[in-house]
Amino acid sequence: MRPFAAVAGLAAVAVSVVFAILTVQPPGPQTDPAAPGPSAARAFTDVERLGARPHVVGSAANDAVRGYLVDTLRGIGFAPRVEDTIGVNKGSLSGGTAAAARVRNIVTLVPGTAAVPAAGRVFVVAHYDSVQSGPGANDDGAGVASLLETARQLKAHPPRNDVVLLATEGEEACLCGAEAFVAADPLAADGGVVLNVEARGTSGPAIMFETTAGNANVVRTFAAAAPHPVATSFAVEVYRILPNDTDFSPFRDAGRFVGLNSAYIDGSAAYHGPQDTPGRMNLGSLQMHLDNTTALVAAFGAADLAQVRAYSGDATYFPVFGWLLRYPGQLVWPLAILAVVAVAAAVLVARRRGRTSVPRFLAGTAAALVPLVVAPLLAQLGWRLLVALRPGMAAMDDPWHPSLYRAAVVCLVAAVVTAWYCLLRTRIGGVGLALGGLVWLALLGVGLAALAPGGSYLTAVPALAGGLALLFLGREGGPSGGRAGAQDVEADGAQGVGRGVGQDVGWGVAEQVARVLAAVVAVIVLVPTAVLFFPALGLTVAAVPAVVLVLLGLALVPVLEWLPHTRWTRLLPVVPLVVALVLGGIGQARNVFTAADPAPSQLMYLLDADVGTARWVSAESTPDPWTAQYVGGREQLDGIPGFEGEYATGPAQVAALPPAAVRAQTTGTTVTVRVTPQRADRLVALRSEGATVRSATVSAGPTTGTPVPVRDGRLDLLFHAPPPEGIELRLELSAPGPLQLRVTDGSDGLTGLPGFSPRPADVGVAGSHTSELVAVTATHRIA
């Protein structure tokens, strides 16, 4: 191939890489707070109020946030109502303990202008509570700010369909606000379209990462209406098998809603921690949320909701240069099979035209496993090395500043792939290596079609494009074959191995263009996935994006043949390897723990009032050096309500902390129990022992008699946000008999406990629902 054409082809691929990366980045923020459209500058004033301090469910700080939201919505011109109720997460019972909470949701109905009511409503959902350990400026100040900005846009442009703006409480604790709304609010009875707005970090693109089943219709609207449609059906497949939940889950599980779940996820080191502050928020990420949310509400607010909600099967979709390519799920298997056929046809064409041989093709297929194994392994070992050098990273999914590390992983994969190619192309030939890589892409496409259909495109589409491109291979000795084909075949003999394979190939124009187009297709499909996988999974599983990058490398082998064939080419892998080491070193120097970017530590205090002993407890699998001062062994705590599982533990001094007060009254087989916190409790865990419990209800605040699940004759309940006057349980027993109630009540803050020393400046509180928890357990004989 002529040098100019080779450079042009490689430049086209490089440009496509740059565009593929740029088009999944957040936009610039709107800096004018008076702009008529969505404005990050205007919404950020809401974020500053929402994320000023931690505001956990039931706290006075959350009461203040709720007051601000109600006043703001009234100021816009709507009439929000606050529903004070108890939400119960029955799904959590599968883990052994049911969860409930007293919650106060803010519900705002924006009536539609249509004369005939639509088939359901449009729901915009965000939670206004934070975890106890962080102010929640992003999680979910960004979502609530998007809800308020949506309210402003709806006031200016009334929707055709009813829109419900729902700010829930208790998401962080147990999704109990959303559970209560879906279960009992009349506005939810007819179902509709739900848009949940979340954040699991401080920056990055707002990704639509979850849908309800049968998503083709809602994805069609998303693709047409969202100004920044960053989404992939593979993310939906992955999320469906993960144990993670958001407020979207109760709507999804109810069966009468369709919808979309969106979040930005980069900067996860601050997630749920004290560093989730307004100052760390990327305003471009906020702007992306605002743009997409308001545009989608306008689109669904004007749509025929009956058509949107009609079951239409799952779509396959992925971002392509700023828009969303999608096709019906029915095409997944045909495309996967076509990819296999195309690769098989390319093998036959390459053999017939003398560009490879069966032994070389088989060797190339076997050899492709080398980078698929080696590169992810090295990426994972790299993370292990970083943790060994800086143990505080063990508790983090991602460092505070991960960009250099991510670039180092990319360079490491590039070094492995280019070394593999340069070492083997003189023995196997570029065509044999290219076909071998495409075989694995095609086979993975079939495997994903069976196991995760929404992800099959990741390998099936590049395999199909690559297979079709290699059908344009020139004939050996022909106008585009040159003399390399003859030498490839000759080198199969014992005396000719490695002689001149791939040298001085004469390329036809069709073959050149086909290879460039196939490479661009691979870039379009795989580069955004790699970019999104890094923050989604974190460097703690760096092997996963490394696998995606290796697959990209295998798909690009046909254009690697344009590299010059000289002795210096074999040194090419040294360049990305050196760059990877340099970037890793700079990243390590930059990621020093400081007061602004501290090492996370997770510590709790547990007092057993029955026996008068105390222990420090940590959920860290490998305690960091600071935490290790308090915990040394490991212990199963299954007998303590709210602390099931194995923890790192250590002895602690006994503090003068009163357990929750328990009063009981028994009438026949009915037992009424009042549990009153003696401290500023955030939660109460209760477990019955002895007599068989047939049914149970809980009362708190103005809500009375809310049923809570009972399993195997035992009450096992974690109640969040108990009011100062406590909660009341009503237990129906199968028969009179001895009954004991184990009660653990929990408050926040380790300061002041005997034996506790404040953390140094470079050690911080880990983003966890249980960090700084002070729990007291006592057993009460009820009857």
Side-chain angles (χ1 to χ4, degrees), residues 472-686:
F472 290 89
L473 285 170
R475 184 177 298 278
E476 179 269 317
S480 65
R483 61 176 181 270
Q487 290 169 339
D488 274 7
V489 176
E490 178 188 359
D492 285 333
Q495 298 179 350
V497 173
R499 187 173 51 169
V501 175
Q503 296 178 3
D504 193 24
V505 177
W507 302 81
V509 173
E511 185 173 344
Q512 295 174 31
V513 173
R515 292 195 182 209
V516 171
L517 291 177
V520 170
V521 168
V523 166
I524 289 172
V525 171
L526 291 166
V527 166
T529 302
V531 170
L532 299 179
F533 264 24
F534 272 116
L537 302 175
L539 286 172
T540 186
V541 284
V544 178
V547 167
V548 177
L549 291 168
V550 172
L551 294 173
L552 175 63
L554 293 178
L556 295 181
V557 166
V559 296
L560 290 181
E561 281 201 87
W562 296 339
L563 296 174
H565 289 247
T566 69
R567 70 178 66 179
W568 299 107
T569 305
R570 296 190 178 186
L571 298 178
L572 182 63
V574 175
V575 176
L577 179 60
V578 170
V579 173
L581 294 174
V582 171
L583 290 174
I586 298 174
Q588 193 73 347
R590 187 183 181 195
N591 279 278
V592 175
F593 292 124
T594 65
D597 303 327
S601 65
Q602 202 277 346
L603 189 66
M604 301 173 278
Y605 178 86
L606 177 59
L607 172 63
D608 190 334
D610 292 342
V611 295
T613 61
R615 51 169 72 87
W616 298 109
V617 179
S618 177
E620 295 179 26
S621 56
T622 305
D624 70 274
W626 183 85
T627 311
Q629 299 177 85
Y630 297 92
V631 296
R634 300 199 68 81
E635 187 177 355
Q636 286 287 141
L637 300 180
D638 292 342
I640 302 174
F643 283 84
E644 292 76 15
E646 184 182 81
Y647 292 85
T649 63
Q653 299 178 44
V654 176
L657 297 173
V662 176
R663 293 185 294 109
Q665 179 179 352
T666 302
T667 304
T669 58
T670 300
V671 179
T672 304
V673 182
R674 166 69 63 173
V675 180
T676 308
Q678 301 300 292
R679 300 175 287 131
D681 280 345
R682 175 165 58 88
L683 56 85
V684 176
L686 311 107

Side-chain angles (χ1 to χ4, degrees), residues 344-357:
V347 172
L348 294 176
V349 168
R351 178 68 186 93
R352 177 167 295 184
R353 296 182 180 176
R355 300 295 292 274
T356 192
S357 63

Side-chain angles (χ1 to χ4, degrees), residues 111-121 159-162 301-306:
T113 60
V116 179
R121 297 179 172 88
R160 177 180 178 275
N161 301 322
D162 287 357
D304 181 349
L305 295 186

Side-chain angles (χ1 to χ4, degrees), residues 376-399:
L377 179 62
L378 291 178
Q380 204 62 43
L381 289 176
W383 173 250
R384 293 288 184 90
L385 176 61
L386 297 180
V387 170
L389 294 173
R390 191 149 293 141
M393 286 189 181
M396 306 176 73
D397 290 333
D398 242 0

Side-chain angles (χ1 to χ4, degrees), residues 199-498:
R200 200 210 64 183
T202 61
S203 60
I207 306 166
M208 193 278 285
F209 65 93
E210 185 184 16
T211 71
T212 45
N215 60 32
N217 288 336
V218 290
V219 169
R220 180 185 298 111
T221 303
F222 174 82
H228 317 289
V230 176
T232 161
S233 50
F234 189 45
V236 173
E237 297 285 3
V238 172
Y239 203 80
R240 284 175 179 173
I241 63 176
L242 293 177
N244 304 340
D245 281 305
T246 68
D247 270 345
F248 187 75
S249 302
F251 290 89
R252 177 200 66 204
D253 297 341
R256 58 184 186 273
F257 298 89
V258 298
L260 310 169
N261 200 0
S262 300
Y264 56 82
I265 58 176
D266 211 347
S268 62
Y271 179 54
H272 279 174
Q275 293 74 31
D276 186 7
T277 60
R280 284 188 182 262
M281 174 179 281
N282 182 296
L283 293 185
S285 301
L286 176 61
Q287 185 69 51
M288 192 167 176
H289 254 337
L290 301 177
D291 290 346
N292 282 355
T293 303
T294 55
L296 290 171
V297 171
F300 286 116
D304 181 349
L305 295 186
Q307 182 179 5
V308 173
R309 296 174 63 187
Y311 184 83
S312 53
D314 283 337
T316 293
Y317 51 90
F318 51 93
V320 176
F321 293 159
W323 57 284
L324 200 71
L325 189 150
R326 58 185 175 81
Y327 56 84
Q330 295 91 325
L331 293 180
V332 167
W333 272 107
L335 282 174
I337 293 170
L338 278 175
V340 172
V341 172
V343 173
V347 172
L348 294 176
V349 168
R351 178 68 186 93
R352 177 167 295 184
R353 296 182 180 176
R355 300 295 292 274
T356 192
S357 63
V358 172
R360 288 186 178 282
F361 159 67
L362 294 176
T365 302
L369 287 173
V370 173
L372 279 169
V373 173
V374 173
L377 179 62
L378 291 178
Q380 204 62 43
L381 289 176
W383 173 250
R384 293 288 184 90
L385 176 61
L386 297 180
V387 170
L389 294 173
R390 191 149 293 141
M393 286 189 181
M396 306 176 73
D397 290 333
D398 242 0
W400 287 104
H401 306 284
S403 297
L404 291 173
Y405 289 136
R406 294 172 186 171
V409 171
V410 173
C411 291
L412 182 63
V413 173
V416 171
V417 172
T418 53
W420 164 80
Y421 177 75
C422 290
L423 289 173
L424 294 179
R425 69 173 174 177
T426 56
R427 293 185 173 273
I428 297 174
V431 173
L433 291 174
L435 290 170
L438 291 177
V439 165
W440 287 108
L441 287 167
L443 292 177
L444 285 171
V446 172
L448 288 169
L451 301 175
S456 179
Y457 77 90
L458 278 172
T459 57
V461 172
L464 177 59
L468 294 176
L470 292 185
L471 294 179
F472 290 89
L473 285 170
R475 184 177 298 278
E476 179 269 317
S480 65
R483 61 176 181 270
Q487 290 169 339
D488 274 7
V489 176
E490 178 188 359
D492 285 333
Q495 298 179 350
V497 173

